[in-house]
Amino acid sequence: MRAIRKIVVHHSASSPVSMEKIEQWHKERGFSEVGYHYVIQAGGLVRLGRKVRQIGAHCKGHNSDSIGVCVVGSFEDGTPVPGSQWVALVSVVSDLMKQYGLSVRDVYGHKELGKTLCPGFDPVLLRDELADECEV
């Protein structure tokens, strides 16, 4: 079992699409499968992507010890994450934090680890909500 030290949150930077569509895009880029471990589709549907025991393909230099969670949509223009997806994101990340003994300091937006605008929204908003939800 690989050591999990962080959770990296992404957005698909797209219109609402399925996990299968994202997987198609990733395969076109040469990945063997979808690079994220979890994908949160429109309506808050949480889909399992790559198995957590497998190294992801979502954040260069940080894949070996992280879990990648992608929220479908584009949030770079200030569009908020829809409520159902936000609730699902907080729930998934909170559960992962508890499962792997992580704290809010171990939750990152992709842009905090690489040169990108992803996940579009300010990751501090997520960490603040997680701090209210979790006692880790």
Side-chain angles (χ1 to χ4, degrees):
M1 183 79 154
R2 67 191 184 98
I4 302 299
R5 294 187 178 89
K6 62 180 85 84
I7 299 166
V8 184
V9 178
H10 304 265
H11 71 151
S12 62
S14 68
S15 60
V17 295
S18 67
M19 187 183 73
E20 289 78 13
K21 185 65 171 176
I22 295 171
E23 182 168 48
Q24 176 188 335
W25 294 337
H26 284 190
K27 286 181 174 181
E28 288 168 359
R29 292 178 55 198
F31 299 174
S32 61
E33 60 186 322
V34 67
Y36 308 115
H37 298 96
Y38 295 88
V39 175
I40 302 172
Q41 294 182 185
L45 176 64
V46 178
R47 302 282 307 275
L48 299 176
R50 191 175 287 218
K51 290 177 178 52
V52 172
R53 70 175 180 264
Q54 295 176 298
I55 294 173
H58 58 89
C59 187
K60 187 174 183 177
H62 298 275
N63 290 316
S64 65
D65 66 351
S66 69
I67 295 173
V69 180
C70 178
V71 180
V72 173
S74 183
F75 310 109
E76 293 170 7
D77 65 358
T79 301
V81 176
S84 58
Q85 285 177 288
W86 185 259
V87 168
L89 175 62
V90 170
S91 177
V92 166
V93 174
S94 175
D95 288 348
L96 290 169
M97 288 169 55
K98 291 171 188 167
Q99 183 176 352
Y100 292 96
L102 303 175
S103 76
V104 293
R105 293 180 306 280
D106 303 314
V107 178
Y108 298 89
H110 186 188
K111 65 184 172 184
E112 295 174 303
L113 301 173
K115 295 181 181 182
T116 178
L117 296 175
C118 180
F121 62 86
D122 184 352
V124 172
L125 299 173
L126 175 60
R127 286 193 291 270
D128 286 349
E129 186 149 343
L130 290 165
D132 292 342
E133 296 279 325
C134 299
E135 295 182 23
V136 178

